[in-house]
Each structure stands twice: as structure tokens, then as C-alpha cells.
Amino acid sequence: MREILIADDHPLFRDALKRAVKQALPDAVLLEADTVPSLLTLIEAHADADLLLLDLHMPGARGFSALAHIRGQHPGLPIVVVSAHEESAVIQRAVAHGASGYIPKSAPVEGIVSAVRAILDGDVWLPQNLTPSDAALKPDEAAIAARVAELTPQQFRVLGMLSEGLLNKQIAFELQVSEATVKAHMTAIMRKLGVSNRTQVVLLIGKLTFDGRAAPIPEGEDMLLAD
């Protein structure tokens, strides 16, 4: 029996995706997540899932960061990006980051059904009039994505909260760990990303966003080793 993961923070659109998937695969088991942290937990519990439908705009990630991380950690899991962004440059970047398909949120149910069936058959599915391109990511973006892929799921959770502007004590509260543990994760994250402070972390991750802009840095927290 197929297991399909659906990750979107909008309940109405998540329901629409569920209906479309059920139309394509009546016997599929559907598993849902509405944040990136909850999605990572879901993937850990269902490592053999057949497909992930991933919204790029969810709490816990910026731009293509979640796609890059999950693709690196679970290379055998086909990922279909579901997004309101319909620009060809964004779609081609998603494919270059490892997406097996790209479904615009404006797509009709029939289009989603066709996409799910095609991707499970091993094909790449893109919107009409758009074909897969051989265009590669810019070298710096590819290098950042490769580093993000090396983070552990818990480190990526911390990274996502940092990118949203949370303080160490807020991250500790959300993850139900000590601030010392958060600082240890931050040290490991900076080492893997090749930077020395949280400002540089946020600026680096900003290169994986659609517009290349970083999130604001919490005042007083831009310290070496993220104190």
C-alpha cells in the first residue's frame, strides 16, 4: 500500500491535495504535516514513504532549504513541490534542487492527479509548456544546498527557527531542550555551513530563498558560537 506524505500549512489546500491523491490512488495511506519540524518527524517515522508533496512556504524553512535538506537526507523519496510560485525560474530551480515535479497551486484537480500518477511511474512532471532544463544551480547555491543537506534533522529544525528570527531561549522552549543544547546545535550548524556567527548563517540561508534576502537577526544574539 502506498504511503503519501502531504506537507502544507493551509488546511483547505491540504484537503484539496488529499482529495486529488485519493482520486489518483484510492488505496493510498495519506500522512499530513503542517510545519517543517513536524514533517521531519513524519519522515523519520515513515522512511519508506512513496511520495512527498511539499509546499515551499511552511513554518520552519525558507525558500528551497527544506527541499535541499530532505533531498540530501532521503535521496530515494520522490518530492513534488506544490507552490503558488509559477515563475519558470523558480520551477527550474526546484527541479535543479532535486524535485521530481512541480505543481502550481492554481492547477486543477485533474492536473494534480496526472502529476501524482506520472511521478510515481518515475517521470518528471512540470506545468504545461515547461520542459525539464539542464540548467544547473549557481555554484554558490549548489554548495550551500549541499551543506544544508548534511545537517541532522534536529540541526535543521534549529536552523529553521533561527531563520524565522527566534532567540535561543525560544528555540529551546519550542524543542523542549536546554539552551545549552541549542548552543551546541548552533555550533555544529555553523561548522557544517562554514561560518562563524548567526548573522552569517542567516545570510547564507538567504541565498536559498526566492529573492535571495535573509531574515532579520534578533538583536543581541549575533555572537560568536551563537550565545
Side-chain angles (χ1 to χ4, degrees), residues 9 51 115 200 208 216:
D9 62 334
L51 182 67
Q200 293 174 343
L208 296 181

Side-chain angles (χ1 to χ4, degrees), residues 166-172 179 182-183 198 221 226-227:
L166 271 64
L167 305 172
N168 283 349
K169 61 182 179 182
Q170 293 172 313
I171 296 173
E179 284 192 57
V182 173
K183 291 177 183 179
R198 59 196 300 144
E221 290 241 340
D227 188 27

